[in-house]
Amino acid sequence: MSYNSKPISFVVLCSGKGSNLAAIIAACASGVIPAKVTAVISSSPEAKALHIAETNNIPAISLPASSIEDRNLYLVDQVKEIKPDFIVLAGYVKKVPDSLLEIFPDKIINIHPSLLPEFGGKGMYGLNVHKAVIEAGKKQSGLTIHLVSSEYDRGRILKQVSLDVAPEETPESLSDKILALEHKHFPLVIREFILETIRDEK
Ligand code: GRF
């Protein structure tokens, strides 16, 4: 999709294995997401997500590990240079700096593997989330896709999908089930976000 022949583009920020990134790239290729991933930026040089980007001919950028300030300055500089229409966080475990939120207000989307506001916030990532859900005896969990605000996991919710927590559930099995749901729903929400928000502005 484009307006005045300028295709819609976005940057994906990752820290880990990048299975959502792979689903997003596939959805761009099939046209489900009417836009292009112009760069993948990772907070970790070891992230498998960087390899996924490279194999799809998408520029892969690793952030410096020297200090939080250096990392965030570099991140903002890179994004300013790339000039995406919006940003997607797909397993980015670092806090997004306010300086980036100021440039992209209501234009940064995150996915979280629980039904926020429960089991969100600092330290709630990876298997920690699913362990906490099981320990709390929850009968349901799920995923939340939301806009990023200056408070961890608290921005406006775009979509939530729930599933039952089975009696014999382990953090790993819950993680697998929720990830499969993420791969299905995240691309569709990004599509809707583009159709409802980004396209109108272009
Ligand atoms: C997902 O569970 C997502 O909800 C969370 O981080 C995980 C990323 O997984 N924010 P992957 O790197 O996309 O495989």
Side-chain angles (χ1 to χ4, degrees), residues 16-21 90-92 110-113 126 130 179 182-183:
K17 60 185 189 305
S19 66
N20 277 288
L21 170 68
Y92 185 69
N110 183 40
I111 186 159
H112 184 81
H130 310 299
L179 257 187
E182 292 184 23
H183 300 159

Side-chain angles (χ1 to χ4, degrees), residues 30-49:
S30 69
V32 167
I33 296 179
K36 187 177 172 214
V37 179
T38 40
V40 171
I41 301 180
S42 171
S43 60
S44 159
E46 273 98 49
K48 222 179 125 197

Side-chain angles (χ1 to χ4, degrees), residues 173-190:
S173 66
L174 190 53
S175 168
D176 288 349
K177 286 179 191 171
I178 293 177
L179 257 187
L181 279 180
E182 292 184 23
H183 300 159
K184 179 176 165 206
H185 290 280
F186 204 11
L188 297 176
V189 172
I190 295 170

